[in-house]
Amino acid sequence: MKNIILIGFMGAGKTTVGQELSQLTGLALINLDDEIIKKIKMPIHQFFKEYGEEAFRVIEEELLEKFSHQPIILATGGGVVVRLNNRMILQKGQTVLLDASIKTLIQRIREDKTTIRPLAVNSSDEEITQLFETRKMFYQQSARLIVKTDDKNAQEVASEIIKNLKDNFENLPQ
Ligand code: S3P
């Protein structure tokens, strides 16, 4: 199936690379966090505060199941890999890990003033690093393709992904 699922830690660039991929492939971009926000009708950080992370993960899993079967570019949230069922869904799809050093990720998280990330906003660099370490294996296990994004812009990352997956996008310009 012609779809791409983007995974990676917070700050990996899933949304911006997703936008580039959407342009290159003509497939619609769906951002899983935005779909969750539509459903919960409040910002994610507020939902975390009122209902907790587990309640968030239940909705995230439900929506991943729904969107993983569609011909779209799907940008996921950084914690999508923590559930075993989600990792199994991701393994079956055309899942691409946007990988970067923790130094780059923390820098991008701190620079992004538009998103309040409940699992990073009040955390020290050490705590964010620890969270990254607990998930690292899960990201690697869930992806079919791993792309390093340090020192690359979104366009470069997107072209690299298309080049690697081009058998499935044979009608696109080379
Ligand atoms: C989360 C990452 C966020 C969002 C939520 C939880 C996580 O998405 O889903 O705040 O657990 O890493 P981004 O990776 O787009 O920041």
Side-chain angles (χ1 to χ4, degrees):
M1 193 196 9
K2 291 187 179 189
N3 77 338
I4 300 177
I5 305 175
L6 296 174
I7 62 168
F9 198 64
M10 294 174 271
K14 296 165 301 247
T15 304
T16 37
V17 171
Q19 285 162 348
E20 292 295 331
L21 284 172
S22 174
Q23 287 208 340
L24 287 173
T25 60
L27 297 176
L29 170 67
I30 297 283
N31 186 304
L32 207 58
D33 279 348
D34 290 343
E35 297 302 315
I36 296 171
I37 292 167
K38 275 190 217 162
K39 192 170 167 121
I40 62 181
K41 300 188 176 70
M42 66 177 81
I44 289 174
H45 66 93
Q46 190 185 336
F47 189 84
F48 263 65
K49 216 189 275 172
E50 287 186 26
Y51 301 97
E53 181 176 349
E54 274 314 295
F56 175 84
R57 298 294 170 212
V58 170
I59 298 167
E60 186 177 49
E61 179 174 350
E62 195 184 295
L63 291 176
L64 176 69
E65 290 214 13
K66 174 176 169 192
F67 286 107
S68 61
H69 304 295
Q70 299 185 13
I72 52 171
I73 306 297
L74 182 63
T76 61
V80 76
V81 294
V82 299
R83 290 202 155 203
L84 172 64
N85 186 46
N86 288 358
R87 295 199 294 279
M88 285 162 60
I89 294 172
L90 294 167
Q91 280 163 7
K92 282 188 232 140
Q94 199 152 237
T95 299
V96 179
L97 167 60
L98 301 185
D99 193 21
S101 69
I102 187 63
K103 192 166 164 256
T104 304
L105 293 168
I106 290 174
Q107 192 183 334
R108 292 190 195 144
I109 292 168
R110 302 279 187 228
E111 276 168 5
D112 180 359
K113 304 288 178 216
T114 58
T115 324
I116 303 175
R117 295 180 164 99
L119 297 182
V121 67
N122 292 319
S123 308
S124 64
D125 288 3
E126 288 69 29
E127 286 165 329
I128 296 176
T129 305
Q130 230 168 29
L131 182 65
F132 177 70
E133 289 298 327
T134 63
R135 293 178 176 174
K136 214 168 159 179
M137 279 295 291
F138 293 157
Y139 291 126
Q140 313 254 346
Q141 288 165 359
S142 307
R144 187 175 296 187
L145 173 70
I146 300 174
V147 179
K148 290 262 173 210
T149 69
D150 297 274
D151 308 318
K152 286 179 198 157
N153 63 34
Q155 248 171 340
E156 290 166 329
V157 175
S159 339
E160 196 173 324
I161 292 170
I162 294 294
K163 212 167 93 192
N164 279 280
L165 302 177
K166 74 173 183 297
D167 289 349
N168 290 322
F169 291 92
E170 67 250 357
N171 294 328
L172 290 172
Q174 297 297 305

